[in-house]
Amino acid sequence: MQRRLFPSTRRHARKRSRDPHWDNIRYISGTLVVFGHMTDSITDRDGLRWLQIATWALRVPVFVMVAGYFSRADSLTPREARRLVESILVPYLAIGLLHTLEQRHFYGDWTIQIVNPPWALWFLLSLLFWRMGLPYLAQLRYPLATSVVAALAVGYVSDFGPALSLSRTFCFLPFFVLGWKLGQGAYADVLRAAWSRYAALAVLAVTFVVAWFVRHDVPFSWLRMSSPYDDTYGLPVPWDWAIRGGVLLCGTVIALSFIRLVPRGRIPLITYLGAGGLYIYLLHPLVLRPVLRWWGMDWVGPWYEQALVVVLAVALSVVLGSAPVRRLTRPLVQPRLPWLFRDTPGTAGRPAAPAPVAGAPAPEDRQLVASLAGDSPQPTAARK
């Protein structure tokens, strides 16, 4: 029987163990990440630069919040350590090797893409650090406030730069912690209140309008937060933190508004593609590098050509999230390596999985969520 690119919507509609709201968020956010990387070299085009700045908070900050939402603050047991190695560290090393081979092929450079993770790969390394540190952060009285202070303070430490994604690990940590708190049920009443929908619409409308007027005044280095302050922010040294603090505050408000507005029900095709959001996020740079090398983006000029770039970004995300691509690249993105680990209590004999709970992924999709968030979600009451 011929396999379909996208399994039947009716058949998947019966799988109520996944939360379609977060799958919808994954797909939209992942597609915007593809758009951002596709247009990095042509941000001098007004329309694309405006859209890059207007959607920044809907890209990486939202993706980080999704990872936090599905994370737990349990102590790091041998089983959890194995999960982190298998679902995060090994894909990081494997995909980094592919980046190295591509770099060698196109540019003759043998730089190993591990210490300085390229493109979107930094997310996996930071995710490893976040998951390992969350049990300790959760013991603090004010974990979110602590993460914000760390994000602001790390800019004054010159050793915290792009190497090992240290700067981004600290700077995007508040979004991860906020996602974890959302997973615990924090702010649930606000995000479901009728008035918050109108507030969220207003926030996004203002964001897109203001982004047009400040598109040439906002350096992308402010948004990437991959380096120390130094001369990046242009303020007297004691006040550099103010700009980063403003970026974090605006990013949080805009990201929460986006999460509030994304439909909570199943959307044909979009919800299925969102379940493969990590495939879209991690694989698109391996596709874009040769495409940009061979064809480039210099052909993009008028508004209709800029609009075509957006369409191409959507098309690429659809392909990368499709069933054939996910089946083909599963050993890379979701490796299963039982031969690498010795049996530990709870893994030997592979006991039967418990019955699914509302909001948790279906059994065949648990490893997919684990790849994104470090673990499968649990009921709110059971989380620490």
Side-chain angles (χ1 to χ4, degrees), residues 137-155:
L137 266 176
Q139 299 302 314
L140 301 178
R141 187 179 296 273
Y142 305 108
L144 182 56
T146 301
S147 68
V148 172
V149 171
L152 300 181
V154 75

Side-chain angles (χ1 to χ4, degrees), residues 138-193:
Q139 299 302 314
L140 301 178
R141 187 179 296 273
Y142 305 108
L144 182 56
T146 301
S147 68
V148 172
V149 171
L152 300 181
V154 75
Y156 293 103
V157 183
S158 58
D159 291 335
F160 282 74
L164 295 177
S165 188
L166 291 179
S167 180
R168 280 172 166 165
T169 296
F170 279 90
C171 292
F172 286 92
L173 178 60
F175 298 113
F176 181 80
V177 176
L178 179 57
W180 169 67
K181 292 185 73 67
L182 291 177
Q184 290 184 305
Y187 318 116
D189 292 340
V190 173
L191 291 176
R192 289 183 177 273

Side-chain angles (χ1 to χ4, degrees), residues 344-383:
T344 57
T347 60
R350 294 187 180 277
V357 295
E364 65 269 29
D365 290 328
R366 280 182 184 140
Q367 183 62 19
L368 177 61
V369 175
S371 297
L372 175 59
D375 209 329
S376 58
Q378 301 294 327
T380 297
R383 296 188 187 176

Side-chain angles (χ1 to χ4, degrees), residues 4 6-16 266 268-269 272:
R4 299 185 179 183
F6 308 103
S8 169
T9 302
R10 179 178 299 175
R11 175 165 58 88
H12 276 258
R14 294 195 295 265
K15 294 181 180 178
R16 296 301 180 185
R266 303 188 67 86
L269 184 62
Y272 173 78

Side-chain angles (χ1 to χ4, degrees), residues 10 27 38 50 62 79 126 136 162 176 229 231 285 311 337 349:
R10 179 178 299 175
Y27 175 72
M38 186 177 287
W50 161 71
V62 167
R79 183 178 183 181
S126 292
Y136 303 99
F176 181 80
Y229 293 140
D231 298 325
V311 174
L337 308 170

Side-chain angles (χ1 to χ4, degrees), residues 117-282:
W119 294 51
L121 198 58
W122 69 268
F123 173 78
L124 279 185
L125 190 56
S126 292
L127 180 58
L128 180 64
F129 293 141
W130 293 330
R131 286 289 292 116
M132 293 175 63
L134 183 58
Y136 303 99
L137 266 176
Q139 299 302 314
L140 301 178
R141 187 179 296 273
Y142 305 108
L144 182 56
T146 301
S147 68
V148 172
V149 171
L152 300 181
V154 75
Y156 293 103
V157 183
S158 58
D159 291 335
F160 282 74
L164 295 177
S165 188
L166 291 179
S167 180
R168 280 172 166 165
T169 296
F170 279 90
C171 292
F172 286 92
L173 178 60
F175 298 113
F176 181 80
V177 176
L178 179 57
W180 169 67
K181 292 185 73 67
L182 291 177
Q184 290 184 305
Y187 318 116
D189 292 340
V190 173
L191 291 176
R192 289 183 177 273
W195 63 265
S196 65
R197 177 182 295 275
Y198 301 105
L201 282 170
V203 167
L204 292 188
V206 170
T207 297
F208 276 78
V209 171
V210 171
W212 176 259
F213 292 101
V214 303
R215 64 190 185 280
H216 296 300
D217 301 318
V218 177
F220 287 106
S221 58
W222 289 9
L223 309 179
R224 294 189 183 104
M225 298 187 286
S226 59
S227 302
Y229 293 140
D230 295 332
D231 298 325
T232 301
Y233 290 80
L235 292 179
V237 173
W239 296 101
D240 281 337
W241 63 269
I243 291 181
R244 179 167 291 176
V247 169
L248 292 175
L249 177 61
C250 292
T252 298
V253 174
I254 297 169
L256 288 176
S257 299
F258 169 74
I259 290 173
R260 174 64 180 88
L261 292 176
V262 171
R264 296 182 177 275
R266 303 188 67 86
I267 305 175
L269 184 62
I270 298 300
T271 303
Y272 173 78
L273 292 170
L278 192 64
Y279 288 78
I280 297 171
Y281 190 91
L282 294 180

